[in-house]
Amino acid sequence: ADILIHVIDCAGGTNEKGEPITPGTYNPANDVKFLEFELDMWYFQIFKKVWEKFSRQVEQEKANIIKAIAKQFSGLRVTEDMVKEKLKKLNLEELHIIKWTEEQLMDFAKELRKETKPMIIAANKIDIHAAQENLERLKKEFPGYIIVGCSSESELALKEAAKHKLINYIPGENHFEVIGTLNDKQKNALEFIQKNILDKFGSTGVQEVLNIAVFDLLKYIAIFPGGINKLADKDGNIIPDCFLMPHGTTALSFAYR
């Protein structure tokens, strides 16, 4: 994965075992810490497994530490620039690699995990009252994370209504247009979503999470193939294709794609 989206129950209505409980009785910050710890330990174990042999080899061959580490862990998308920056941040530049303590190795692995597996937190169930207080607390407690309030239930309801041609709705928008005949139950549900989610938060948050992940964190660019005068395919669909490409894509690398 290029990026991780951690979906949590922001209302605190699910405990650590995944069992439903009364909203507001569980602290969703525990879930954030739990997954963070699991990922850090996963990375640490990958490093620890090879470190003794790897560090001895680097010392014996008097190899360039930055190049050696980047090459050894290239499968985790570790680059030389990342290694250089982390060594400096943790004051490990001058220390012989073979003399690193387990704690120093753990800190190094954690830093690289944060960089190579960026994570955004989707704080779901924002439509439940307890979630709104929790969201503000989470943002203060984890300033290093992007945390977006979401209501996946509202997004699903809007998508279903659009699919059945009851409304026009573009994911990420703060409104929808009624185009079909609604019964009282449908009308009340859509009015609730408009008033309590779209008007209050600007969107259901679901598309926002995806947009931030792809465009802000991964810095992908959207490219629409097609000539200047011909933006349609053989069936007349205008700009039918969009390719998401990494930052720095050239015309040649896009042609290969």
Short mmCIF file of all heavy atoms in Angstrom, two decimals, residues 93-150:
data_model
loop_
_atom_site.label_atom_id
_atom_site.label_comp_id
_atom_site.label_asym_id
_atom_site.label_seq_id
_atom_site.Cartn_x
_atom_site.Cartn_y
_atom_site.Cartn_z
N GLU A 93 24.14 9.98 12.88
CA GLU A 93 25.07 10.16 11.75
C GLU A 93 26.49 9.69 12.07
O GLU A 93 27.14 9.03 11.25
CB GLU A 93 25.12 11.64 11.33
CG GLU A 93 23.83 12.14 10.72
CD GLU A 93 23.85 13.65 10.56
OE1 GLU A 93 23.91 14.35 11.60
OE2 GLU A 93 23.83 14.12 9.42
N GLU A 94 26.96 10.04 13.26
CA GLU A 94 28.36 9.76 13.60
C GLU A 94 28.56 8.41 14.27
O GLU A 94 29.68 7.95 14.46
CB GLU A 94 28.90 10.86 14.54
CG GLU A 94 28.73 12.29 14.02
CD GLU A 94 29.47 12.51 12.71
OE1 GLU A 94 30.57 11.95 12.54
OE2 GLU A 94 28.94 13.24 11.84
N LEU A 95 27.47 7.78 14.65
CA LEU A 95 27.56 6.52 15.40
C LEU A 95 27.74 5.33 14.46
O LEU A 95 27.04 5.22 13.46
CB LEU A 95 26.29 6.32 16.24
CG LEU A 95 26.30 5.19 17.27
CD1 LEU A 95 27.34 5.45 18.35
CD2 LEU A 95 24.92 5.04 17.90
N HIS A 96 28.69 4.46 14.78
CA HIS A 96 28.88 3.25 13.98
C HIS A 96 27.61 2.41 14.02
O HIS A 96 27.05 2.17 15.10
CB HIS A 96 30.07 2.43 14.51
CG HIS A 96 31.39 3.00 14.12
ND1 HIS A 96 31.94 2.78 12.88
CD2 HIS A 96 32.25 3.79 14.80
CE1 HIS A 96 33.11 3.42 12.82
NE2 HIS A 96 33.31 4.06 13.97
N ILE A 97 27.20 1.95 12.87
CA ILE A 97 25.93 1.23 12.74
C ILE A 97 25.88 -0.02 13.63
O ILE A 97 24.83 -0.40 14.14
CB ILE A 97 25.69 0.87 11.25
CG1 ILE A 97 24.24 0.44 11.04
CG2 ILE A 97 26.65 -0.16 10.73
CD1 ILE A 97 23.86 0.29 9.57
N ILE A 98 27.02 -0.62 13.86
CA ILE A 98 27.09 -1.86 14.65
C ILE A 98 26.88 -1.58 16.14
O ILE A 98 26.59 -2.49 16.93
CB ILE A 98 28.44 -2.58 14.40
CG1 ILE A 98 28.29 -4.08 14.69
CG2 ILE A 98 29.58 -1.95 15.19
CD1 ILE A 98 29.39 -4.93 14.10
N LYS A 99 26.98 -0.29 16.53
CA LYS A 99 26.85 0.08 17.94
C LYS A 99 25.46 0.62 18.29
O LYS A 99 25.22 1.03 19.42
CB LYS A 99 27.91 1.13 18.31
CG LYS A 99 29.32 0.56 18.29
CD LYS A 99 30.33 1.60 18.70
CE LYS A 99 31.76 1.02 18.72
NZ LYS A 99 32.77 2.05 19.03
N TRP A 100 24.56 0.58 17.34
CA TRP A 100 23.21 1.06 17.62
C TRP A 100 22.55 0.17 18.67
O TRP A 100 22.67 -1.06 18.62
CB TRP A 100 22.34 1.01 16.36
CG TRP A 100 22.63 2.07 15.33
CD1 TRP A 100 23.78 2.80 15.21
CD2 TRP A 100 21.77 2.47 14.26
NE1 TRP A 100 23.69 3.63 14.13
CE2 TRP A 100 22.46 3.46 13.53
CE3 TRP A 100 20.49 2.10 13.86
CZ2 TRP A 100 21.91 4.08 12.40
CZ3 TRP A 100 19.94 2.71 12.75
CH2 TRP A 100 20.64 3.70 12.03
N THR A 101 21.85 0.79 19.60
CA THR A 101 21.10 0.01 20.59
C THR A 101 19.76 -0.41 19.97
O THR A 101 19.35 0.12 18.93
CB THR A 101 20.80 0.84 21.86
OG1 THR A 101 19.94 1.94 21.48
CG2 THR A 101 22.08 1.38 22.48
N GLU A 102 19.07 -1.33 20.64
CA GLU A 102 17.77 -1.78 20.15
C GLU A 102 16.77 -0.62 20.15
O GLU A 102 15.93 -0.50 19.26
CB GLU A 102 17.26 -2.92 21.02
CG GLU A 102 16.10 -3.67 20.40
CD GLU A 102 15.84 -5.02 21.05
OE1 GLU A 102 16.57 -5.99 20.79
OE2 GLU A 102 14.87 -5.08 21.83
N GLU A 103 16.91 0.25 21.15
CA GLU A 103 16.02 1.41 21.25
C GLU A 103 16.24 2.37 20.08
O GLU A 103 15.29 2.92 19.51
CB GLU A 103 16.27 2.14 22.58
CG GLU A 103 15.24 3.21 22.87
CD GLU A 103 15.49 3.93 24.19
OE1 GLU A 103 16.27 3.41 25.03
OE2 GLU A 103 14.90 4.99 24.38
N GLN A 104 17.51 2.58 19.71
CA GLN A 104 17.82 3.45 18.59
C GLN A 104 17.31 2.87 17.27
O GLN A 104 16.80 3.59 16.41
CB GLN A 104 19.33 3.69 18.51
CG GLN A 104 19.84 4.64 19.59
CD GLN A 104 21.36 4.67 19.68
OE1 GLN A 104 22.04 3.66 19.48
NE2 GLN A 104 21.90 5.84 19.98
N LEU A 105 17.43 1.55 17.14
CA LEU A 105 16.92 0.89 15.94
C LEU A 105 15.40 1.02 15.87
O LEU A 105 14.84 1.25 14.80
CB LEU A 105 17.34 -0.59 15.93
CG LEU A 105 16.88 -1.41 14.72
CD1 LEU A 105 17.44 -0.82 13.43
CD2 LEU A 105 17.31 -2.87 14.86
N MET A 106 14.75 0.90 17.03
CA MET A 106 13.30 1.03 17.09
C MET A 106 12.87 2.43 16.66
O MET A 106 11.94 2.61 15.86
CB MET A 106 12.82 0.75 18.52
CG MET A 106 11.32 0.93 18.74
SD MET A 106 10.38 -0.40 17.98
CE MET A 106 8.73 0.04 18.46
N ASP A 107 13.56 3.46 17.18
CA ASP A 107 13.24 4.85 16.82
C ASP A 107 13.43 5.08 15.32
O ASP A 107 12.63 5.76 14.67
CB ASP A 107 14.13 5.82 17.61
CG ASP A 107 13.77 5.85 19.09
OD1 ASP A 107 12.65 5.44 19.44
OD2 ASP A 107 14.62 6.28 19.90
N PHE A 108 14.50 4.50 14.79
CA PHE A 108 14.81 4.65 13.36
C PHE A 108 13.72 3.98 12.50
O PHE A 108 13.23 4.56 11.53
CB PHE A 108 16.18 4.02 13.08
CG PHE A 108 16.68 4.21 11.68
CD1 PHE A 108 17.01 5.47 11.20
CD2 PHE A 108 16.86 3.12 10.83
CE1 PHE A 108 17.48 5.65 9.91
CE2 PHE A 108 17.33 3.29 9.54
CZ PHE A 108 17.64 4.55 9.07
N ALA A 109 13.32 2.78 12.90
CA ALA A 109 12.27 2.04 12.17
C ALA A 109 10.95 2.81 12.22
O ALA A 109 10.22 2.90 11.22
CB ALA A 109 12.10 0.64 12.76
N LYS A 110 10.62 3.38 13.39
CA LYS A 110 9.38 4.14 13.55
C LYS A 110 9.35 5.35 12.63
O LYS A 110 8.34 5.64 12.00
CB LYS A 110 9.23 4.61 15.01
CG LYS A 110 8.68 3.55 15.93
CD LYS A 110 8.80 3.94 17.39
CE LYS A 110 7.91 5.06 17.80
NZ LYS A 110 7.93 5.29 19.27
N GLU A 111 10.46 6.06 12.56
CA GLU A 111 10.54 7.25 11.71
C GLU A 111 10.34 6.89 10.24
O GLU A 111 9.64 7.60 9.51
CB GLU A 111 11.90 7.95 11.89
CG GLU A 111 12.03 8.71 13.20
CD GLU A 111 11.10 9.90 13.28
OE1 GLU A 111 10.85 10.54 12.24
OE2 GLU A 111 10.59 10.19 14.39
N LEU A 112 10.95 5.79 9.83
CA LEU A 112 10.80 5.37 8.43
C LEU A 112 9.39 4.86 8.16
O LEU A 112 8.85 5.03 7.06
CB LEU A 112 11.83 4.29 8.08
CG LEU A 112 13.26 4.81 7.92
CD1 LEU A 112 14.24 3.66 7.73
CD2 LEU A 112 13.39 5.79 6.75
N ARG A 113 8.77 4.24 9.15
CA ARG A 113 7.40 3.78 8.98
C ARG A 113 6.46 4.95 8.71
O ARG A 113 5.61 4.90 7.82
CB ARG A 113 6.95 3.01 10.25
CG ARG A 113 5.65 2.22 10.09
CD ARG A 113 4.41 3.03 10.32
NE ARG A 113 4.35 3.67 11.62
CZ ARG A 113 3.48 4.61 11.94
NH1 ARG A 113 2.60 5.05 11.05
NH2 ARG A 113 3.48 5.16 13.15
N LYS A 114 6.63 6.02 9.48
CA LYS A 114 5.77 7.18 9.31
C LYS A 114 5.90 7.77 7.91
O LYS A 114 4.93 8.25 7.32
CB LYS A 114 6.12 8.25 10.34
CG LYS A 114 5.68 7.90 11.75
CD LYS A 114 6.16 8.97 12.72
CE LYS A 114 5.94 8.56 14.16
NZ LYS A 114 6.55 9.52 15.10
N GLU A 115 7.13 7.74 7.39
CA GLU A 115 7.40 8.34 6.07
C GLU A 115 6.94 7.45 4.92
O GLU A 115 6.39 7.93 3.93
CB GLU A 115 8.90 8.60 5.94
CG GLU A 115 9.29 9.21 4.62
CD GLU A 115 9.76 10.65 4.74
OE1 GLU A 115 9.90 11.14 5.88
OE2 GLU A 115 9.98 11.26 3.71
N THR A 116 7.17 6.15 5.04
CA THR A 116 6.88 5.25 3.92
C THR A 116 5.45 4.71 3.94
O THR A 116 4.96 4.20 2.94
CB THR A 116 7.85 4.05 3.90
OG1 THR A 116 7.78 3.36 5.16
CG2 THR A 116 9.28 4.49 3.66
N LYS A 117 4.78 4.80 5.07
CA LYS A 117 3.38 4.39 5.17
C LYS A 117 2.56 5.53 5.78
O LYS A 117 2.08 5.44 6.91
CB LYS A 117 3.22 3.14 6.05
CG LYS A 117 3.85 1.89 5.46
CD LYS A 117 2.96 1.26 4.41
CE LYS A 117 3.58 -0.01 3.88
NZ LYS A 117 3.51 -0.13 2.44
N PRO A 118 2.42 6.64 5.05
CA PRO A 118 1.64 7.75 5.60
C PRO A 118 0.21 7.29 5.89
O PRO A 118 -0.34 6.46 5.17
CB PRO A 118 1.68 8.80 4.49
CG PRO A 118 2.01 8.06 3.24
CD PRO A 118 2.86 6.91 3.67
N MET A 119 -0.36 7.84 6.96
CA MET A 119 -1.68 7.38 7.38
C MET A 119 -2.62 8.57 7.60
O MET A 119 -2.23 9.58 8.19
CB MET A 119 -1.58 6.55 8.67
CG MET A 119 -2.88 5.92 9.09
SD MET A 119 -2.64 4.45 10.12
CE MET A 119 -1.77 5.12 11.53
N ILE A 120 -3.84 8.42 7.10
CA ILE A 120 -4.88 9.42 7.35
C ILE A 120 -5.97 8.73 8.16
O ILE A 120 -6.25 7.54 7.96
CB ILE A 120 -5.42 9.99 6.01
CG1 ILE A 120 -6.51 11.04 6.25
CG2 ILE A 120 -5.93 8.90 5.09
CD1 ILE A 120 -6.88 11.80 5.00
N ILE A 121 -6.55 9.44 9.10
CA ILE A 121 -7.57 8.84 9.97
C ILE A 121 -8.96 9.30 9.57
O ILE A 121 -9.25 10.50 9.55
CB ILE A 121 -7.29 9.17 11.45
CG1 ILE A 121 -5.96 8.54 11.87
CG2 ILE A 121 -8.43 8.67 12.35
CD1 ILE A 121 -5.46 8.98 13.21
N ALA A 122 -9.80 8.32 9.20
CA ALA A 122 -11.20 8.61 8.86
C ALA A 122 -12.02 8.40 10.13
O ALA A 122 -12.25 7.27 10.56
CB ALA A 122 -11.68 7.68 7.74
N ALA A 123 -12.41 9.51 10.75
CA ALA A 123 -13.17 9.46 12.01
C ALA A 123 -14.65 9.30 11.67
O ALA A 123 -15.37 10.29 11.45
CB ALA A 123 -12.91 10.72 12.82
N ASN A 124 -15.10 8.06 11.62
CA ASN A 124 -16.45 7.75 11.12
C ASN A 124 -17.52 7.92 12.20
O ASN A 124 -17.22 8.04 13.38
CB ASN A 124 -16.45 6.31 10.57
CG ASN A 124 -17.66 6.02 9.72
OD1 ASN A 124 -18.21 6.92 9.08
ND2 ASN A 124 -18.12 4.78 9.72
N LYS A 125 -18.76 7.90 11.75
CA LYS A 125 -19.96 8.03 12.59
C LYS A 125 -20.08 9.43 13.20
O LYS A 125 -20.51 9.61 14.34
CB LYS A 125 -20.00 6.97 13.69
CG LYS A 125 -19.98 5.54 13.13
CD LYS A 125 -20.24 4.51 14.21
CE LYS A 125 -20.14 3.09 13.65
NZ LYS A 125 -20.33 2.06 14.66
N ILE A 126 -19.67 10.43 12.39
CA ILE A 126 -19.70 11.82 12.87
C ILE A 126 -21.14 12.30 13.05
O ILE A 126 -21.39 13.34 13.68
CB ILE A 126 -18.93 12.72 11.88
CG1 ILE A 126 -18.52 14.04 12.54
CG2 ILE A 126 -19.70 12.97 10.59
CD1 ILE A 126 -17.51 13.89 13.61
N ASP A 127 -22.11 11.53 12.49
CA ASP A 127 -23.53 11.90 12.65
C ASP A 127 -24.04 11.62 14.06
O ASP A 127 -25.11 12.08 14.43
CB ASP A 127 -24.38 11.13 11.63
CG ASP A 127 -23.99 9.66 11.52
OD1 ASP A 127 -22.90 9.37 11.00
OD2 ASP A 127 -24.76 8.81 11.98
N ILE A 128 -23.27 10.84 14.85
CA ILE A 128 -23.67 10.56 16.24
C ILE A 128 -23.08 11.65 17.14
O ILE A 128 -21.90 12.00 17.02
CB ILE A 128 -23.17 9.16 16.67
CG1 ILE A 128 -23.86 8.09 15.81
CG2 ILE A 128 -23.47 8.91 18.15
CD1 ILE A 128 -23.32 6.69 16.00
N HIS A 129 -23.88 12.19 18.04
CA HIS A 129 -23.51 13.38 18.82
C HIS A 129 -22.15 13.23 19.53
O HIS A 129 -21.33 14.14 19.48
CB HIS A 129 -24.60 13.71 19.84
CG HIS A 129 -24.28 14.93 20.65
ND1 HIS A 129 -24.28 16.20 20.08
CD2 HIS A 129 -23.93 15.09 21.95
CE1 HIS A 129 -23.94 17.08 21.02
NE2 HIS A 129 -23.74 16.45 22.16
N ALA A 130 -21.91 12.11 20.18
CA ALA A 130 -20.67 11.93 20.94
C ALA A 130 -19.42 12.05 20.07
O ALA A 130 -18.34 12.41 20.55
CB ALA A 130 -20.68 10.56 21.64
N ALA A 131 -19.56 11.79 18.78
CA ALA A 131 -18.42 11.79 17.88
C ALA A 131 -17.83 13.18 17.68
O ALA A 131 -16.62 13.34 17.49
CB ALA A 131 -18.82 11.20 16.53
N GLN A 132 -18.67 14.18 17.73
CA GLN A 132 -18.19 15.53 17.43
C GLN A 132 -17.23 16.05 18.51
O GLN A 132 -16.23 16.69 18.20
CB GLN A 132 -19.39 16.46 17.24
CG GLN A 132 -20.16 16.12 15.96
CD GLN A 132 -21.58 16.63 15.95
OE1 GLN A 132 -21.85 17.72 16.46
NE2 GLN A 132 -22.49 15.87 15.37
N GLU A 133 -17.52 15.72 19.77
CA GLU A 133 -16.59 16.09 20.86
C GLU A 133 -15.30 15.29 20.74
O GLU A 133 -14.21 15.82 20.91
CB GLU A 133 -17.24 15.82 22.22
CG GLU A 133 -18.41 16.73 22.54
CD GLU A 133 -19.08 16.33 23.86
OE1 GLU A 133 -18.42 15.68 24.69
OE2 GLU A 133 -20.26 16.68 24.02
N ASN A 134 -15.45 14.00 20.44
CA ASN A 134 -14.27 13.14 20.29
C ASN A 134 -13.36 13.60 19.16
O ASN A 134 -12.14 13.53 19.26
CB ASN A 134 -14.69 11.69 20.04
CG ASN A 134 -15.18 11.00 21.30
OD1 ASN A 134 -14.86 11.42 22.41
ND2 ASN A 134 -15.97 9.95 21.14
N LEU A 135 -13.96 14.08 18.07
CA LEU A 135 -13.18 14.53 16.91
C LEU A 135 -12.24 15.67 17.29
O LEU A 135 -11.06 15.67 16.93
CB LEU A 135 -14.12 14.96 15.78
CG LEU A 135 -13.44 15.46 14.49
CD1 LEU A 135 -12.59 14.37 13.86
CD2 LEU A 135 -14.49 15.94 13.49
N GLU A 136 -12.76 16.63 18.05
CA GLU A 136 -11.92 17.77 18.47
C GLU A 136 -10.80 17.30 19.39
O GLU A 136 -9.67 17.78 19.31
CB GLU A 136 -12.79 18.83 19.16
CG GLU A 136 -13.82 19.48 18.26
CD GLU A 136 -13.24 19.95 16.93
OE1 GLU A 136 -12.21 20.65 16.94
OE2 GLU A 136 -13.81 19.62 15.88
N ARG A 137 -11.11 16.36 20.28
CA ARG A 137 -10.09 15.83 21.19
C ARG A 137 -9.00 15.08 20.42
O ARG A 137 -7.82 15.19 20.72
CB ARG A 137 -10.73 14.90 22.22
CG ARG A 137 -11.40 15.62 23.36
CD ARG A 137 -11.45 14.76 24.62
NE ARG A 137 -12.20 13.53 24.41
CZ ARG A 137 -13.51 13.42 24.63
NH1 ARG A 137 -14.20 14.47 25.05
NH2 ARG A 137 -14.13 12.27 24.44
N LEU A 138 -9.42 14.29 19.42
CA LEU A 138 -8.47 13.52 18.61
C LEU A 138 -7.51 14.44 17.86
O LEU A 138 -6.31 14.18 17.78
CB LEU A 138 -9.21 12.64 17.61
CG LEU A 138 -9.91 11.39 18.18
CD1 LEU A 138 -10.85 10.80 17.15
CD2 LEU A 138 -8.88 10.34 18.61
N LYS A 139 -8.04 15.52 17.32
CA LYS A 139 -7.20 16.46 16.56
C LYS A 139 -6.14 17.11 17.46
O LYS A 139 -5.02 17.35 17.03
CB LYS A 139 -8.07 17.53 15.90
CG LYS A 139 -8.84 17.00 14.70
CD LYS A 139 -9.70 18.08 14.06
CE LYS A 139 -10.39 17.55 12.81
NZ LYS A 139 -11.26 18.55 12.17
N LYS A 140 -6.51 17.38 18.72
CA LYS A 140 -5.55 17.96 19.67
C LYS A 140 -4.52 16.93 20.11
O LYS A 140 -3.34 17.24 20.29
CB LYS A 140 -6.29 18.52 20.89
CG LYS A 140 -7.03 19.82 20.60
CD LYS A 140 -7.83 20.27 21.80
CE LYS A 140 -8.67 21.51 21.47
NZ LYS A 140 -9.62 21.84 22.53
N GLU A 141 -4.97 15.68 20.32
CA GLU A 141 -4.08 14.63 20.82
C GLU A 141 -3.11 14.12 19.76
O GLU A 141 -2.00 13.70 20.07
CB GLU A 141 -4.91 13.46 21.36
CG GLU A 141 -4.09 12.46 22.15
CD GLU A 141 -4.94 11.44 22.89
OE1 GLU A 141 -6.16 11.66 23.05
OE2 GLU A 141 -4.38 10.41 23.31
N PHE A 142 -3.54 14.17 18.48
CA PHE A 142 -2.69 13.65 17.40
C PHE A 142 -2.48 14.71 16.33
O PHE A 142 -2.97 14.59 15.19
CB PHE A 142 -3.34 12.40 16.77
CG PHE A 142 -3.58 11.29 17.75
CD1 PHE A 142 -4.84 11.07 18.29
CD2 PHE A 142 -2.54 10.44 18.14
CE1 PHE A 142 -5.07 10.05 19.19
CE2 PHE A 142 -2.76 9.41 19.04
CZ PHE A 142 -4.02 9.22 19.58
N PRO A 143 -1.74 15.78 16.67
CA PRO A 143 -1.55 16.88 15.70
C PRO A 143 -0.77 16.45 14.45
O PRO A 143 -0.83 17.12 13.42
CB PRO A 143 -0.77 17.93 16.51
CG PRO A 143 -0.10 17.15 17.61
CD PRO A 143 -1.03 16.03 17.94
N GLY A 144 -0.06 15.34 14.54
CA GLY A 144 0.74 14.88 13.39
C GLY A 144 -0.08 14.15 12.33
O GLY A 144 0.42 13.86 11.25
N TYR A 145 -1.34 13.85 12.64
CA TYR A 145 -2.19 13.12 11.70
C TYR A 145 -3.23 14.04 11.06
O TYR A 145 -3.70 14.98 11.69
CB TYR A 145 -2.95 12.00 12.41
CG TYR A 145 -2.14 10.75 12.65
CD1 TYR A 145 -1.89 10.31 13.95
CD2 TYR A 145 -1.62 10.00 11.59
CE1 TYR A 145 -1.15 9.15 14.19
CE2 TYR A 145 -0.88 8.85 11.83
CZ TYR A 145 -0.65 8.42 13.11
OH TYR A 145 0.08 7.29 13.35
N ILE A 146 -3.58 13.72 9.82
CA ILE A 146 -4.75 14.36 9.21
C ILE A 146 -5.95 13.52 9.64
O ILE A 146 -5.99 12.31 9.42
CB ILE A 146 -4.63 14.37 7.67
CG1 ILE A 146 -3.46 15.26 7.23
CG2 ILE A 146 -5.93 14.85 7.03
CD1 ILE A 146 -3.14 15.17 5.76
N ILE A 147 -6.90 14.16 10.31
CA ILE A 147 -8.09 13.45 10.81
C ILE A 147 -9.33 14.10 10.19
O ILE A 147 -9.54 15.31 10.33
CB ILE A 147 -8.16 13.51 12.35
CG1 ILE A 147 -6.87 12.93 12.96
CG2 ILE A 147 -9.38 12.75 12.87
CD1 ILE A 147 -6.78 13.06 14.47
N VAL A 148 -10.11 13.31 9.49
CA VAL A 148 -11.28 13.83 8.79
C VAL A 148 -12.55 13.17 9.35
O VAL A 148 -12.64 11.95 9.40
CB VAL A 148 -11.20 13.56 7.27
CG1 VAL A 148 -12.43 14.11 6.56
CG2 VAL A 148 -9.92 14.17 6.69
N GLY A 149 -13.49 14.00 9.78
CA GLY A 149 -14.77 13.49 10.24
C GLY A 149 -15.59 12.96 9.07
O GLY A 149 -15.66 13.61 8.02
N CYS A 150 -16.18 11.78 9.22
CA CYS A 150 -16.93 11.14 8.12
C CYS A 150 -18.25 10.58 8.62
O CYS A 150 -18.40 10.25 9.78
CB CYS A 150 -16.15 9.95 7.55
SG CYS A 150 -14.54 10.35 6.90
#
